[in-house]
Amino acid sequence: DQQVKQNSPSLSVQEGRISILNCDYTNSMFDYFLWYKKYPAEGPTFLISISSIKDKNEDGRFTVFLNKSAKHLSLHIVPSQPGDSAVYFCAASLLSSGDKLTFGTGTRLAVRP
Amino acid sequence: GAVVSQHPSRVICKSGTSVKIECRSLDFQATTMFWYRQFPKQSLMLMATSNEGSKATYEQGVEKDKFLINHASLTLSTLTVTSAHPEDSSFYICSARPGFQETQYFGPGTRLLVL
């Protein structure tokens, strides 16, 4: 039972353009969402998060949008840079459950120079 | 801030031996740490939640007698893979959450290869 899904296993974007990574979840009780970036053989690096009481959070080139009614969140990277090439995981948690994270399956982003 | 380290980064062992992996929060205290496992081309799967001074909470399907977790201090949690077998070969990652923050920060991971 995959509660957090990233339906696009890969995405290729031209440098300077926008990268949009999508994530869907099934558990409406999730109240905190995070995006992590991961390189092979390394631990995930935290990028940005959003609480369920908000619908948008922005940090530099990264913006996360949350649509609770659709159980959908997305990560926008503008402008995309070659160094952004990595696997991106979305994760969801239920703060009342002790912060256990449920991860999506990941999307591999390739930013072409 | 919020740096998490793991040691070793990579270990190769013979089948039947035990392997200990350390997870340390370097610049904050963590009452709770988490252990994840990632198989190739798959997502990170939570194995257990490590609570300082008490027993770990294991996810369904994870053998607590095989994956021993000790959270002896507010900055250190250890995962011991006992009697390792080739199917235990994986990438093990820990995470920790500083104080009142909701965000978990991850260690660099440990690659375990059991021959």
Side-chain angles (χ1 to χ4, degrees):
Chain A
D1 177 28
Q2 189 71 33
Q3 294 191 66
V4 180
K5 300 178 184 179
Q6 293 175 255
N7 292 318
S8 298
S10 63
L11 175 68
S12 181
V13 172
Q14 189 75 39
E15 180 179 8
R17 306 295 288 269
I18 184 171
S19 295
I20 300 176
L21 297 108
N22 294 302
C23 179
D24 298 291
Y25 60 96
T26 57
N27 187 345
S28 58
M29 299 298 289
F30 285 138
D31 50 16
Y32 193 66
F33 304 89
L34 310 92
W35 282 94
Y36 287 88
K37 174 182 178 181
K38 187 179 183 300
Y39 295 112
E42 292 185 13
T45 301
F46 170 73
L47 281 176
I48 193 168
S49 63
I50 188 167
S51 164
S52 60
I53 62 173
K54 304 174 86 173
D55 53 20
K56 177 183 176 181
N57 188 26
E58 188 173 354
D59 184 2
R61 296 186 299 116
F62 302 94
T63 303
V64 56
F65 295 91
L66 175 62
N67 183 333
K68 289 186 290 293
S69 61
K71 298 192 189 70
H72 177 84
L73 66 155
S74 61
L75 174 68
H76 292 208
I77 306 174
V78 182
S80 302
Q81 301 172 354
D84 296 329
S85 298
V87 177
Y88 289 77
F89 289 95
C90 67
S93 75
L94 192 58
L95 293 179
S96 61
S97 75
D99 306 323
K100 294 195 299 184
L101 290 180
T102 301
F103 279 86
T105 47
T107 297
R108 181 175 301 278
L109 173 66
V111 180
R112 307 184 305 272
Chain B
V3 179
V4 177
S5 71
Q6 272 183 251
H7 177 81
S9 59
R10 162 186 296 248
V11 58
I12 301 173
C13 69
K14 292 182 179 179
S15 184
T17 61
S18 294
V19 174
K20 180 186 283 189
I21 303 170
E22 292 186 349
C23 177
R24 293 182 186 272
S25 55
L26 298 186
D27 51 1
F28 64 95
Q29 293 184 330
T31 54
T32 304
M33 291 184 174
F34 303 87
W35 287 96
Y36 294 82
R37 181 168 54 186
Q38 185 186 27
F39 291 105
K41 298 185 179 180
Q42 293 188 24
S43 186
L44 288 83
M45 299 300 295
L46 178 65
M47 297 174 66
T49 302
S50 169
N51 303 296
E52 188 268 336
S54 65
K55 291 183 179 180
T57 304
Y58 290 82
E59 295 301 300
Q60 191 173 8
V62 178
E63 300 175 58
K64 61 181 180 181
D65 295 329
K66 181 169 186 62
F67 298 100
L68 300 179
I69 290 173
N70 185 295
H71 195 150
S73 76
L74 289 171
T75 59
L76 172 64
S77 175
T78 60
L79 169 68
T80 301
V81 183
T82 62
S83 187
H85 287 94
E87 57 265 29
D88 298 323
S89 299
S90 187
F91 192 57
Y92 292 87
I93 311 172
C94 71
S95 72
R97 184 175 62 85
F100 296 103
Q101 288 190 35
E102 292 108 347
T103 301
Q104 289 182 29
Y105 294 90
F106 285 81
T110 297
R111 171 73 61 192
L112 171 63
L113 177 61
V114 185
L115 302 177

